[in-house]
Amino acid sequence: MSILRRAWAKYQQLLITHPWKTQTIGTGVLVAAGDVITQQFAERRGTNHDFRRTARMGVVGLVIGPVLRSWYLTLERIVPGTAKTAGFKKMLLDQSLFAPVMICFFFSVSETLAGKRPHEIKEMFQER
């Protein structure tokens, strides 16, 4: 079995045996990886990579991972099923109720970890 298949099988097993930990760590890794991709390909930083920012984004992912899991489990209880109409209802609830709150939460956590004070974060939101 190839190394990728073994890693995928292990990941699938961990999702069953330790879903909260696995999804939390997975979210942290994905958010940090997204920051690496952003810095290297969108911002073209090269050797000027901001490793502190990547670490902060990884921590943000660790914080929001459980929040996202809780929301999607709740959403599944509110609107059960996989039909197109159920999917549309879930998307509508997610985008109208959860997304605005999550965006504020994401920026609040990331800016707090960057050292900003509450009044500075409030000013940032007012400017946008």
Side-chain angles (χ1 to χ4, degrees), residues 26-80:
T27 303
V29 168
L30 287 173
V31 173
D35 183 66
V36 170
I37 292 167
T38 298
Q39 288 192 53
Q40 293 306 313
F41 296 103
E43 298 173 4
R44 301 190 186 278
R45 287 185 172 228
T47 58
N48 293 324
H49 188 89
D50 184 350
F51 290 99
R52 285 186 174 188
R53 184 178 110 180
T54 300
R56 278 195 316 268
M57 294 309 292
V59 171
V60 169
L62 292 174
V63 172
I64 66 172
V67 176
L68 291 171
R69 177 171 167 77
S70 298
W71 168 247
Y72 290 120
L73 289 172
T74 301
L75 198 55
E76 187 60 36
R77 281 195 303 273
I78 294 170
V79 184

Side-chain angles (χ1 to χ4, degrees), residues 2 8 10 13 23 27 33 38 78 92 118 120 127-128:
S2 77
W8 182 252
K10 181 65 175 174
Q13 177 187 1
Q23 289 182 337
T27 303
T38 298
I78 294 170
L92 191 63
E120 294 172 307
E127 289 173 1
R128 293 180 182 183

Side-chain angles (χ1 to χ4, degrees), residues 98-119:
F98 188 71
V101 173
M102 196 63 207
I103 290 167
C104 292
F105 181 70
F106 175 86
F107 281 112
S108 295
V109 170
S110 62
E111 295 300 315
T112 298
L113 290 173
K116 293 207 176 156
R117 297 177 182 215
H119 74 275

